[in-house]
Amino acid sequence: MDPPQTTAPPKEMTSTGETRFDYHRKRIGLILAPTIFFAILISPFPGLNTEAHKLAAVMGCIMCLWITEALPLAVTGLLGPALTILIGVAPASKAFSPFADPIMFLFIGALVLARALSLHGLDRRFAYHVLTHRWVGNSPSRILFTYGGICCFISMWISNTATTAMMFPIGVAIIRTLQSTGENRLNPSYASAMMLICAFAASIGGLATPIGTPTNLIGLGFINRQFGRQIPFFEWMEFSVPIVIVLFLLLFLYLKLLCPAGVKQFSGIYTYLVAQRDRLGELTSGGRNTLIAFCITVILWITPGFLALGLGTDHPLTSTFSKLIPESVAAIIGTCILFILPINWKRQEFTLPLKSALEIDWGILAMYGGGISLGQMVFDTKLAEAVGTGISSLIPSTGYGTIAIFSALATLTSEFTSNVASANMVVPIVIMVTGSTGIQAAIATTMTASLGFMLPISTPPNAIVYSSGLVPITHMMKYGIFLDIIGIIVIITGAIFLFPSQ
């Protein structure tokens, strides 16, 4: 049983000015998107073939809708392939084929597993057990570090938004408890730090695994299709986990330095957290079953990496295992286990009811499939070649400067639109410009699209913690811009030195 909530459920909240900006941005998008579509469609482009010309009109329209969010992102994701069929760019069988890409099934399985973790309270149980470790105690710095570390770790496996929504009430409860126990000397900026590390660490943690955030899967899909390079689960973690560790440590040190608690030790917070942990009671049969399914799935995901390390990538056992149980199949196996392991045989109750499994975010899948579909057609119609040639005359097609430019562009775009939309827009452009040598640039751009720490409208985690009233907009902007810059530098460095260019 979950502990009673000490705060209202988290809601995304923005200021009046931001709400007004969002309103006008969407209204402008509804007018601008069709205008761009028809303007490109009727304008002459001698260097493009007919299909590429029509696709350019669709891409202009869809990118405008993504940036302005005039339509729900999922609707825009479906609209793109539909438009390409209507105006004769591609047949339906080709336009909709990316929706059956194996990565889609990896995503579905991961979302269902995350739903089971949340349903049976394993995420909250893990959080309270770590926070009540005696090393944490009543130390302000250790509480901040541990709280952020939990957010970072959980978001490796479930969505950044779900992680923040789950951890947000715990963080607010800690702050309210400190205020109610007479911590009059508590620095208000420490409360901001608790909220910011919740949102920022969740976004950082999502970089660590392919399933941590949709942008990772989008980038992997483009890299697999355009470079013919499949990056296994374990290989992604080999270079991403060091990046995540460095980013999290810098985030913690930055907030610890600029947002001190004002006291050396709290009084009573450890007792409060222990009481909340004890409220959870014993692990239920549903929780045990979910833990079994999750562990089996993770083992299947990382086994090919360990086999490659021990036996080599060319060993028959390594190649056979990877072929028979790719990441998508492992995710489906884990999902099926949830429907097989029972909670009560007599009543035919199983670990995850189908109704609960169907509550995953299907909209993300729609946007992901639409983005991959348009990205594939950009290359098939030779539009990528034409655009790449044009941009290359303005931006060098190789070198660290290119990686820096597009990484900064992905981060900037993610400040004003969703991370998923940013990845769908910027990663294909990077591949267009850099060609077969740009895999490191594609990796860096994919990861920097998950940044965007400056504004409440940048990401749902930012909006959730902003709704607490403990984070002034100036604090989020001041600390967020620093983390954006640091994030770009760390990610580019990691992509260059930790990921092989070929």
Side-chain angles (χ1 to χ4, degrees):
M1 178 179 178
D2 287 344
Q5 296 292 324
T6 56
T7 61
K11 297 184 293 184
E12 296 185 13
M13 184 182 299
T14 54
S15 67
T16 303
E18 290 165 331
T19 301
R20 189 182 302 114
F21 168 78
D22 197 46
Y23 173 85
H24 290 298
R25 178 176 61 132
K26 292 180 178 182
R27 294 303 178 273
I28 291 172
L30 287 174
I31 299 172
L32 189 60
T35 302
I36 291 173
F37 175 79
F38 287 110
I40 295 176
L41 200 60
I42 64 176
S43 300
F45 288 91
L48 297 179
N49 59 54
T50 303
E51 288 77 16
H53 187 178
K54 293 178 180 178
L55 182 61
V58 174
M59 290 296 295
C61 173
I62 296 302
M63 290 179 72
C64 177
L65 291 174
W66 271 333
I67 293 172
T68 61
E69 296 185 74
L71 297 176
L73 297 178
V75 174
T76 303
L78 295 173
L79 178 63
L83 282 176
T84 62
I85 298 167
L86 286 172
I87 64 176
V89 176
S93 58
K94 183 176 181 180
F96 289 132
S97 63
F99 288 88
D101 190 284
I103 292 182
M104 294 288 283
F105 293 93
L106 168 61
F107 206 175
I108 291 172
L111 289 174
V112 173
L113 283 167
R115 175 69 183 124
L117 289 171
S118 176
L119 181 68
H120 293 288
L122 289 179
D123 45 10
R124 185 177 294 272
R125 185 179 296 273
F126 170 77
Y128 276 120
H129 274 278
V130 176
L131 281 168
T132 53
H133 192 282
R134 290 201 173 273
W135 176 83
V136 180
N138 289 303
S139 167
S141 296
R142 292 179 180 180
I143 289 174
L144 181 66
F145 177 84
T146 306
Y147 179 66
I150 293 169
C151 296
C152 189
F153 179 80
I154 292 177
S155 68
M156 292 169 58
W157 312 103
I158 67 177
S159 79
N160 305 343
T161 303
T163 298
T164 306
M166 188 272 293
M167 292 298 297
F168 168 78
I170 297 176
V172 172
I174 291 174
I175 297 299
R176 299 303 183 213
T177 302
L178 289 172
Q179 293 172 340
S180 66
T181 53
E183 294 287 357
N184 296 325
R185 292 175 297 154
L186 181 66
N187 189 340
S189 66
Y190 183 80
S192 295
M194 286 288 290
M195 294 293 95
L196 290 175
I197 204 169
C198 176
F200 293 174
S203 295
I204 290 170
L207 299 173
T209 66
I211 64 168
T213 179
T215 56
N216 294 351
L217 291 175
I218 289 169
L220 285 171
F222 283 123
I223 289 168
N224 186 23
R225 286 172 173 267
Q226 306 309 325
F227 293 109
R229 175 78 157 82
Q230 186 172 0
I231 303 175
F233 200 98
F234 186 84
E235 184 180 351
W236 177 277
M237 292 186 68
E238 278 187 307
F239 73 86
S240 64
V241 170
I243 291 174
V244 167
I245 291 173
V246 171
L247 280 177
F248 175 72
L249 290 176
L250 289 173
L251 168 65
F252 165 70
L253 292 173
Y254 182 57
L255 292 177
K256 179 179 180 293
L257 178 66
L258 296 184
C259 303
V263 294
K264 292 184 177 180
Q265 290 285 318
F266 294 136
S267 59
I269 192 63
Y270 178 77
T271 304
Y272 165 79
L273 292 172
V274 170
Q276 296 301 311
R277 180 198 66 190
D278 293 342
R279 279 178 173 269
L280 296 173
E282 297 294 326
L283 187 64
T284 64
S285 57
R288 284 192 294 270
N289 293 344
T290 301
L291 190 59
I292 290 170
F294 179 75
C295 289
I296 289 174
T297 305
V298 173
I299 289 171
L300 292 176
W301 276 336
I302 65 177
T303 294
F306 283 113
L307 290 175
L309 286 176
L311 303 175
T313 55
D314 297 329
H315 193 279
L317 182 59
T318 304
S319 57
T320 300
F321 190 96
S322 300
K323 185 181 297 184
L324 295 179
I325 312 181
E327 285 91 346
S328 54
V329 172
I332 297 302
I333 289 173
T335 298
C336 291
I337 291 173
L338 296 172
F339 297 103
I340 294 172
L341 293 180
I343 294 178
N344 189 306
W345 269 114
K346 292 183 180 179
R347 295 200 299 265
Q348 289 294 290
E349 293 179 2
F350 296 92
T351 305
L352 184 65
L354 181 60
K355 181 180 179 181
S356 295
L358 294 176
E359 292 174 353
I360 64 174
D361 189 354
W362 294 99
I364 288 292
L365 295 170
M367 182 163 182
Y368 169 77
I372 290 292
S373 175
L374 292 176
Q376 181 62 38
M377 280 187 275
V378 162
F379 292 92
D380 291 344
T381 62
K382 306 296 183 183
L383 177 60
E385 183 179 331
V387 174
T389 301
I391 296 180
S392 295
S393 62
L394 303 174
I395 299 175
S397 59
T398 58
Y400 300 155
T402 304
I403 301 178
I405 290 172
F406 282 108
S407 295
L409 177 62
T411 302
L412 180 63
T413 306
S414 69
E415 292 288 359
F416 301 100
T417 187
S418 79
N419 298 345
V420 176
S422 176
N424 270 322
M425 289 186 289
V426 182
V427 175
I429 297 175
V430 171
I431 298 175
M432 292 179 203
V433 174
T434 58
S436 60
T437 62
I439 190 167
Q440 291 174 323
I443 288 288
T445 306
T446 296
M447 298 184 79
T448 51
S450 287
L451 304 181
F453 299 112
M454 285 179 57
L455 301 170
I457 62 173
S458 299
T459 65
N462 288 9
I464 288 173
V465 300
Y466 181 70
S467 71
S468 68
L470 298 171
V471 185
I473 184 65
T474 53
H475 283 201
M476 183 171 284
M477 293 180 68
K478 179 172 65 175
Y479 302 135
I481 190 171
F482 171 83
L483 195 57
D484 276 342
I485 296 170
I486 290 297
I488 292 171
I489 295 171
V490 172
I491 288 172
I492 291 175
T493 304
I496 292 172
F497 293 103
L498 299 179
F499 188 84
S501 59
Q502 297 297 331

